[in-house]
Amino acid sequence: MSDFPAFPPGFEFGAATSAYQIEGATGKDGRGPSIWDTFCLRGGAIRDGSSGDTACDHYRRHREDVALLADLGVSTYRFSVAWPRIQPSGAGPVNPRGLDFYARLVDDLLAAGVTPVLTLYHWDLPQPLEDAGGWRSRDTSERFAQYAALVAARLGDREPRWITLNEPWCSAFLGYGNGEHAPGVSEGTPALAAAHHLLVGHGLAMGALRAAGVREAGIALNLDHVSPATPRADDLAAAVRAETQRNVMWTEPLLEGRYAAAESDTWGELIECQDFRRDGDLALVSAPMDFLGINYYTPSTVRAAPWREPDPARRTAMDNRFEAVPHPGVRHTAMGWPVVPGALRQLLTSLRDRYGARLPPLHITENGSAEHDAPAADGTVHDAERIAYLESHLRAVAEARAEGVDLRGYTVWSLLDNFEWAYGYSRRFGLVHVDFPTGTRTPKASYHWYKAAIAASQAP
Ligand code: FCB
């Protein structure tokens, strides 16, 4: 650990999961169906044909997982609340058995000395809300704020840090743009309406959380570091469009209270019809946040491309006249994602340069890698690639801090191997190996490495 970067006392090391990816027990204690339950039943949607029905069985085994966190020595644990457990139909009174589960979890974490970080929405929309239009409909934003108020009324006194949405880019563009995620549709303007309604839902939920007196609230965005493939003008313009879709259409409304400047160039005719935007929305969306969470895994290099679909009436919201180019010569994870830790440092410093004092304190709310882990004969998992990934990204975080970026915590995705969305159980991100047939947890070498790294970095 001698060359491990130093972090000051108070810097928070954490680990993360999300409800649908780990809990299982999808039919228990009154939980209603979510869009992921429905999507998993669709043939071909999930690579291994699986679902989150059992996942890591965390709903039943959560005490074991809290013990793993305590032993790891993390100061924070980021988890999400399943909206369909709290309001099985997405509206109406609270289902007390659902809320009890999270109250127990929060109490157990606090008792173990681990600060809970609660995400309200990590993609598991109640199915009845999707049936009524989902995020394409502004009503979902209003429902989301009501749900936030219900959770805050019960947990607001002891839950210190709240995240409204996880990665709204994925909800809007993978859910409604290319259909790789639930609800699995490919649309144009309705997907842009979904993006807007996610932002409005965030703003309304911030209001509900403030009204309940919560201490800290913000959002978690998956921000990309985008580079042009060449310095040619058309590739530079393509990079601006990519940045607009990935980053700027989220950060400009949230941090500056304005829409992205390059949105017409990025979406053409699709953004001309803006009747989903109302006066006052930007003021709502840009309500001050106590922190900005950033999920980072890999960067993008892009070049100019024509519209994939020339007819705007049939174009999806992810058709933006850019295409990704490969990153030769760097290692790729089991997701096929290039490993470029320096891009994390550049992303952080460029955010600081762009937004200055408008940028709230930052937290890395997810970072990690999927690797081809297999237990050795002695049962241990020697995941040297994951250790190298985490170490290099922590170093990038330390460099950004040394350059003056106000970044206060780093969270590994994930505590446990889990249901990796459209990849099912075929991709493992955990510090802890999960044998899915039995639920047996086995800490990997990376867990022991992270534990030692935390201890070393916090030694006096
Ligand atoms: C992020 C998600 C998280 C997990 C990681 C690998 O986009 O927030 O649930 O799937 O990617």
Side-chain angles (χ1 to χ4, degrees):
M1 285 301 140
S2 53
D3 62 349
F4 189 76
F7 289 92
F11 184 84
E12 296 176 349
F13 291 95
T17 62
S18 87
Y20 189 73
Q21 294 179 275
I22 66 163
E23 286 178 358
T26 47
K28 210 157 167 356
D29 291 342
R31 177 188 178 277
S34 81
I35 53 174
W36 275 91
D37 300 282
T38 310
F39 187 62
C40 290
L41 294 173
R42 186 193 290 183
I46 310 299
R47 287 189 183 202
D48 59 4
S50 65
S51 75
D53 279 355
T54 306
C56 306
D57 198 15
H58 168 82
Y59 194 76
R60 232 170 33 85
R61 302 174 76 134
H62 82 270
R63 292 224 155 79
E64 195 179 337
D65 296 334
V66 171
L68 282 165
L69 289 160
D71 177 60
L72 183 55
V74 283
S75 39
T76 63
Y77 171 55
R78 176 174 174 232
F79 68 99
S80 80
V81 174
W83 187 352
R85 290 197 193 281
I86 308 303
Q87 289 178 298
S89 66
V94 88
N95 166 33
R97 286 178 299 167
L99 206 38
D100 286 349
F101 169 71
Y102 298 104
R104 280 196 300 275
L105 177 63
V106 166
D107 287 345
D108 289 348
L109 287 163
L110 292 171
V114 178
T115 300
V117 177
L118 184 156
T119 302
L120 283 164
Y121 185 71
H122 201 123
W123 307 351
D124 41 1
L125 188 72
Q127 182 62 41
L129 293 186
E130 180 55 34
D131 298 340
W135 288 106
R136 306 172 195 86
S137 158
R138 195 178 179 101
D139 186 55
T140 296
S141 320
E142 313 265 352
R143 301 277 181 200
F144 179 61
Q146 288 159 13
Y147 152 67
L150 290 176
V151 182
R154 175 78 182 274
L155 298 179
D157 59 339
R158 50 205 135 139
E159 169 54 58
R161 188 175 300 154
W162 297 67
I163 294 175
T164 54
L165 303 175
N166 178 68
E167 302 189 355
W169 178 89
C170 293
S171 298
F173 290 112
L174 304 184
Y176 298 90
N178 69 8
E180 281 177 17
H181 281 185
V185 294
S186 297
E187 297 175 342
T189 301
L192 295 175
H196 183 68
H197 293 143
L198 283 151
L199 285 168
V200 170
H202 157 81
L204 291 169
M206 286 293 289
L209 296 177
R210 296 289 184 221
V214 310
R215 278 172 265 170
E216 276 185 76
I219 194 169
L221 301 177
N222 52 318
L223 296 179
D224 200 352
H225 179 69
V226 180
S227 309
T230 76
R232 284 176 23 193
D234 60 344
D235 288 341
L236 291 173
V240 171
R241 291 192 289 274
E243 274 209 303
T244 300
Q245 186 226 69
R246 301 272 170 79
N247 303 343
V248 180
M249 71 169 293
W250 310 99
T251 54
E252 288 290 287
L254 287 164
L255 301 176
E256 299 282 12
R258 63 181 178 222
Y259 296 116
E263 59 180 24
S264 324
D265 190 43
T266 307
W267 285 287
E269 291 87 339
L270 294 191
I271 196 80
E272 275 170 15
C273 165
Q274 300 207 350
D275 54 6
F276 51 81
R277 289 178 172 170
R278 294 194 190 159
D279 289 348
D281 282 356
L282 285 170
L284 191 64
V285 172
S286 60
M289 297 187 285
D290 302 302
F291 63 90
L292 172 64
I294 296 175
N295 297 352
Y296 171 85
Y297 292 90
T298 193
S300 301
T301 303
V302 301
R303 67 176 167 224
W307 296 113
R308 287 192 295 277
E309 169 53 64
D311 176 2
R314 300 183 341 159
R315 194 178 290 153
T316 80
M318 280 190 95
D319 190 349
N320 308 121
R321 294 184 295 141
F322 69 82
E323 62 191 13
V325 302
H327 289 84
V330 303
R331 192 178 83 78
H332 289 60
T333 71
M335 297 297 281
W337 295 347
V339 179
V340 190
L344 173 56
R345 180 183 58 74
Q346 288 173 292
L347 169 67
L348 295 168
T349 54
S350 64
L351 271 173
R352 190 266 322 269
D353 295 345
R354 181 170 188 138
Y355 291 109
R358 295 280 293 156
L359 191 66
L362 304 179
H363 283 268
I364 299 296
T365 34
E366 286 182 26
N367 176 244
S369 72
E371 305 295 346
H372 298 289
D373 300 325
D378 62 358
T380 55
V381 178
H382 299 286
D383 54 343
E385 297 86 358
R386 180 172 293 103
I387 294 173
Y389 180 99
L390 297 174
E391 177 160 27
S392 59
H393 286 77
L394 268 165
R395 202 168 294 287
V397 165
E399 287 165 8
R401 283 175 47 86
E403 290 180 47
V405 175
D406 183 6
L407 195 154
R408 302 189 180 179
Y410 171 88
T411 317
V412 174
W413 183 270
S414 173
L415 175 68
L416 303 170
D417 290 340
N418 59 47
F419 175 77
E420 179 47 37
W421 308 113
Y423 290 87
Y425 297 97
S426 69
R427 296 293 183 277
R428 293 178 178 271
F429 274 90
L431 296 169
V432 175
H433 180 271
V434 177
D435 177 56
F436 293 109
T438 61
T440 302
R441 278 92 161 119
T442 309
K444 302 177 192 176
S446 57
Y447 173 99
H448 299 295
W449 171 84
Y450 193 42
K451 176 176 176 171
I454 295 169
S457 129
Q458 298 197 332

